[in-house]
Amino acid sequence: MIKKCLFPAAGYGTRFLPVTKAMPKEMLPLVNKPLIQYGVEEALAAGMAGIAIVTGRGKRAIEDHFDISFELESQIAGTSKEDALKEVRHIMKECTFSYTRQVQMKGLGHAILTGETLIGNEAFGVVLADDYCVTEGDGVLAQMVALYEKYQCCIVAIEEVPREETYKYGVIDGEEVEPGVFRISQMVEKPDPADAPSNLAIIGRYILTPDIFDVLQTTPPGRNGELQITDALMTLAEQGRVLGYRFKGRRFDCGSVEGFVEATNYNYQNIYTRR
């Protein structure tokens, strides 16, 4: 069983300035619940109760959200407003939270390497909270855990994107070994559309084996001078040890303003108003 999930959450969220000047982008709300809470709920539903969060300066609101606010709770005790905290209270009861800081922003690979002290020597999930996923059945991480139990290797979630948008993503190529599952032979970080090996893009869900930390230690900086997780995974892919999984569900890119508004409207119409 995979017991831990890592949340890289140290980025500046510059696409949402000025609001992210003082508020973490992971705390942006889809109606009345912050993005990172959706991610933690998905991790918990997949059996990952150990929540490891890599934060940075100005991110204290994340820690405060998953903690008790005695003054607030005493004010709303015995009122109907208590129900609004039911879900986050459940998370706090079932999960263990640990935090470390990424002192410098050197890419997603560096953020994951920073989290090694929280993960240890075991396989783990990774969630990028600004990729918000909705599914009809099991969440994306739960789907990937079932696949990990079969193949026991690194897995990245993928989806088809318009070829002209490949420059926004890590893009894979590989052999389809079963429907929706690809043994990856190539991974390229944000390729120009003309150079992209396919239109299968990596989204913000991973299952990684602990040897990824050793690989990251020896991986040189890549695109933009940053430590790229795709470069490290390519080292393992050359040994046939990385799968791409075309997940069942829908992803909203909440790292962009357009995607965030789309996700907010979806949640309001399909979740919030149906409670």
Side-chain angles (χ1 to χ4, degrees):
M1 180 181 292
I2 298 176
K3 298 179 290 184
K4 294 181 180 180
C5 189
L6 183 68
F7 286 76
Y12 295 120
T14 53
R15 284 186 282 182
F16 284 89
L17 285 170
V19 67
T20 47
K21 182 175 182 290
M23 184 174 84
K25 68 175 181 177
E26 296 81 9
M27 290 299 297
L28 291 171
L30 296 183
V31 187
N32 64 338
K33 187 190 300 185
L35 283 169
I36 195 166
Q37 184 174 331
Y38 288 101
V40 172
E41 289 172 352
E42 182 182 328
L44 180 59
M48 303 178 196
I51 306 300
I53 303 180
V54 178
T55 66
R57 290 180 298 278
K59 299 281 187 167
R60 282 291 304 275
I62 296 174
E63 297 180 44
D64 289 342
H65 181 69
F66 296 111
D67 197 358
I68 295 173
S69 173
F70 291 101
E71 183 178 89
L72 169 65
E73 299 206 14
S74 66
Q75 286 289 326
I76 65 174
T79 73
S80 60
K81 293 180 180 179
E82 275 194 297
D83 286 342
L85 297 181
K86 183 166 55 178
E87 291 175 331
V88 73
R89 282 173 171 169
H90 174 72
I91 288 172
M92 291 162 53
K93 178 182 177 182
E94 297 296 327
C95 295
T96 300
F97 290 85
S98 56
Y99 301 87
T100 192
R101 282 197 171 191
Q102 185 182 12
V103 178
Q104 293 178 287
M105 306 301 108
K106 296 182 179 180
L108 177 57
H110 182 262
I112 291 173
L113 184 57
T114 301
E116 180 181 10
T117 185
L118 305 178
I119 297 297
N121 188 33
E122 59 186 283
F124 61 103
V126 176
V127 168
L128 307 187
D130 53 9
D131 270 345
Y132 170 60
C133 298
V134 295
T135 60
E136 292 186 0
D138 289 341
V140 177
L141 274 182
Q143 296 173 36
M144 295 172 72
V145 165
L147 194 63
Y148 176 81
E149 290 173 354
K150 179 177 181 180
Y151 287 97
Q152 299 286 307
C153 67
C154 291
I155 304 169
V156 298
I158 56 174
E159 69 172 2
E160 293 188 34
V161 299
R163 184 168 283 273
E164 62 270 20
E165 295 183 8
T166 56
Y167 71 93
K168 300 178 181 178
Y169 303 93
V171 178
I172 70 106
D173 194 13
E175 174 192 2
E176 192 168 17
V177 294
E178 62 176 272
V181 180
F182 297 79
R183 191 169 298 280
I184 294 175
S185 59
Q186 188 176 6
M187 306 178 77
V188 184
E189 182 64 23
K190 298 181 179 177
D192 291 332
D195 301 325
S198 74
N199 69 332
L200 295 173
I202 301 169
I203 67 115
R205 300 292 186 275
Y206 304 76
I207 288 181
L208 302 177
T209 50
D211 53 348
I212 193 66
F213 295 124
D214 291 334
V215 177
L216 283 166
Q217 289 278 10
T218 58
T219 299
R223 188 180 179 90
N224 298 325
E226 297 180 337
L227 181 54
Q228 302 291 349
I229 187 62
T230 49
D231 293 341
L233 284 170
M234 189 59 222
T235 299
L236 298 178
E238 290 171 351
Q239 305 168 24
R241 296 165 56 196
V242 184
L243 297 178
Y245 171 60
R246 189 161 52 201
F247 65 94
K248 299 176 179 67
R250 179 180 178 185
R251 177 192 70 106
F252 294 89
D253 177 13
C254 292
S256 70
V257 173
E258 297 81 3
F260 177 76
V261 172
E262 186 181 7
T264 300
N265 290 337
Y266 176 91
N267 265 30
Y268 180 74
Q269 294 165 7
N270 296 280
I271 299 175
Y272 182 79
T273 58
R274 297 183 180 182
R275 291 180 174 181

